[in-house]
Amino acid sequence: MKNRNLSTTITIIERLGTLFTERFHIEVPSPDTDLLESGILDSFQFVELLLQLEQRFNLRIKIDDIDLEDLRTLARIARLVTASGGVTNPSATQPSSGAAG
């Protein structure tokens, strides 16, 4: 079970890295880089990150439940996604393309 959790976390970290590259045009140096302290994310990007997490991982994040510590690094975000029961299916984490239906 531990290897499965590690594999899931690694997959989510990879998908988060892709999200940052696609949406923010940012290469995050490592899963443990502090996104806020390093200035990688500004307040507008932070809001976009929350939206993307909800869309790509099928999460519902309540504003009252947000803990900035959970969103400081890719590794912490991956743990949050896993703990929240976010979708880990690779096809489900890709943004949809085409017309809205």
Side-chain angles (χ1 to χ4, degrees), residues 14-25:
E14 289 171 352
R15 301 219 179 286
L16 289 168
T18 300
L19 183 157
F20 273 81
T21 301
E22 290 176 355
R23 296 301 296 185
F24 305 120
H25 308 289

Side-chain angles (χ1 to χ4, degrees), residues 18-76:
T18 300
L19 183 157
F20 273 81
T21 301
E22 290 176 355
R23 296 301 296 185
F24 305 120
H25 308 289
I26 296 169
E27 286 284 334
V28 179
S30 80
D32 295 317
T33 298
D34 191 314
L35 303 170
L36 304 174
E37 191 175 289
S38 66
I40 289 175
L41 278 184
D42 63 27
S43 58
F44 293 110
Q45 291 169 320
F46 186 77
V47 172
E48 177 68 17
L49 172 63
L50 293 175
L51 176 66
Q52 290 297 318
L53 290 175
E54 287 189 344
Q55 290 179 348
R56 293 185 184 220
F57 294 99
N58 197 28
L59 296 177
R60 293 294 161 248
I61 303 172
K62 295 179 185 175
I63 295 294
D64 294 341
D65 294 341
I66 294 174
D67 182 350
L68 286 180
E69 293 304 310
D70 292 335
L71 300 168
R72 286 193 167 274
T73 69
L74 296 185
R76 289 182 183 181

